[in-house]
Amino acid sequence: MLDLSGDRLRRAFADLGAAAQPTGGVSRYITALHLKSALFKDLLGQTAIGISETEFLDLAAFIAPVRRRIGPAIARIGIKEMAARIEVLLHGGGTVEERLAFFIERFPDGKEMRWVRDLGAELLHFTQPSVPLMARWVWDARVSTGVLREIWHADDVDCTQITAPDDLATFTTLRAELDGFLETEGVYRDRLWMADLLMAHIYAGYINDRGGQYLRNDFTQEGDPMLHTRRMLGLDAVDTKTGRTRLRLIDGAAHEFGGALSARLDLTPADDAPEVADAHS
């Protein structure tokens, strides 16, 4: 078991419902996560992955820690090698934990390559949703930061040592406890994606309240209570007016993305956004 704070979870859940209203309500974000997963499954679901560089960059645009860093890696190893590594990650032998560790080990080590864990974690989760989201922003035991700390039960959580490792067992337990919490709150559908959305909103609160200069520079727009939540899940990737993603290649050129899906992922605030009562459906 993880010692989570029910009060913190309830406050975050209530705030999420209110914050999502200007952009159409929580259900609109759940739909966007379904679409993101469908895109990943469509391109990576087959055992033999024949993804093109364009298709891979479309996926990378939906992974916030990756999209600004992936260009040099693709230039160095090429899309065929990247596809081969992803194929082993998603469809190779061994446990999920072993495959993710092997995927990370095939890239250079060092601080500038920490995004590789996020890439592997999101490819696994959005292609195979039964695998919990093991991204660093959910929990990074090395630096003891992430969603887990923000919802930990302690009088002074900042001074509390959390010994939970960032392994599959911890992430599986976290998702199970969030699922139980959401059920008690009356969420009966899409709890898997609702848990992702709730975690992203919790970490967005951390960014708002305590983010350092690096994070503030990366999250510059003000006035939208769901901005950081969208970004944690990569749902801010598409400029729905131009069809361009936020992905930048080595030469600085913006990568074009298919307009049909981008229109369906429009989560920008609008005065006439439809009202959605809550997530209890």
Side-chain angles (χ1 to χ4, degrees):
M1 292 182 61
L2 298 173
D3 194 8
L4 305 184
S5 169
D7 288 342
R8 293 185 181 193
L9 281 170
R10 281 187 288 272
R11 286 196 299 270
F13 182 70
D15 186 74
L16 172 61
Q21 285 297 331
T23 43
V26 166
S27 63
R28 200 172 185 193
Y29 288 84
I30 299 301
T31 297
L33 288 172
H34 273 292
L35 290 169
K36 177 178 175 178
S37 180
L39 176 65
F40 278 53
K41 289 177 181 178
D42 184 54
L43 295 177
L44 303 176
Q46 301 299 319
T47 303
I49 295 175
I51 192 171
S52 69
E53 182 172 325
T54 298
E55 290 169 331
F56 175 72
L57 292 174
D58 283 343
L59 293 184
F62 287 93
I63 309 175
V66 172
R67 58 193 177 204
R68 294 185 179 182
R69 301 171 175 87
I70 194 63
I74 290 293
R76 184 175 63 252
I77 69 175
I79 188 58
K80 288 186 178 179
E81 173 61 21
M82 181 67 78
R85 295 181 186 186
I86 293 172
E87 187 173 321
V88 174
L89 170 70
L90 299 181
H91 308 295
T95 66
V96 167
E97 208 160 33
E98 290 169 344
R99 284 184 275 127
L100 179 58
F102 182 66
F103 180 76
I104 295 170
E105 289 169 1
R106 297 185 73 181
F107 290 86
D109 197 8
K111 181 178 180 180
E112 70 280 0
M113 298 300 293
R114 290 175 188 164
W115 58 267
V116 174
R117 172 180 155 184
D118 298 308
L119 173 61
E122 292 227 12
L123 292 177
L124 280 165
H125 178 63
F126 284 98
T127 305
Q128 305 166 17
S130 60
V131 177
L133 181 57
M134 296 184 282
R136 289 176 301 154
W137 61 266
V138 178
W139 179 235
D140 187 343
R142 184 186 60 83
V143 292
S144 193
T145 61
V147 172
L148 187 61
R149 176 169 290 280
E150 300 309 304
I151 56 176
W152 198 257
H153 180 71
D155 292 334
D156 187 353
V157 72
D158 290 336
C159 298
T160 299
Q161 182 179 6
I162 301 175
T163 59
D166 49 11
D167 59 8
L168 180 61
T170 294
F171 290 106
T172 300
T173 302
L174 175 60
R175 187 165 76 175
E177 296 200 14
L178 290 176
D179 186 77
F181 165 77
L182 291 171
E183 184 176 16
T184 62
E185 294 296 318
V187 180
Y188 301 116
R189 287 192 316 180
D190 297 315
R191 287 203 299 267
L192 185 154
W193 301 123
M194 186 65 195
D196 284 358
L197 183 59
L198 179 60
M199 288 193 301
H201 196 64
I202 289 167
Y203 200 69
Y206 164 78
I207 293 169
N208 284 327
D209 295 340
R210 309 181 189 180
Q213 187 61 45
Y214 171 79
L215 287 175
R216 284 197 294 271
N217 288 340
D218 228 18
F219 295 81
T220 54
Q221 184 178 336
E222 301 294 338
D224 178 358
M226 292 294 286
L227 175 69
H228 300 172
T229 305
R230 284 196 300 277
R231 191 175 191 278
M232 298 315 303
L233 295 170
L235 299 181
D236 66 333
V238 179
D239 183 331
T240 54
K241 293 182 180 179
T242 66
R244 289 177 179 267
T245 68
R246 293 180 180 269
L247 182 68
R248 298 280 172 173
L249 304 185
I250 297 174
D251 60 3
H255 181 63
E256 295 289 347
F257 185 77
L261 182 58
S262 68
R264 297 175 71 184
L265 285 174
D266 185 2
L267 292 167
T268 52
D271 293 337
D272 58 349
E275 291 293 327
V276 177
D278 52 38
H280 301 176
S281 59

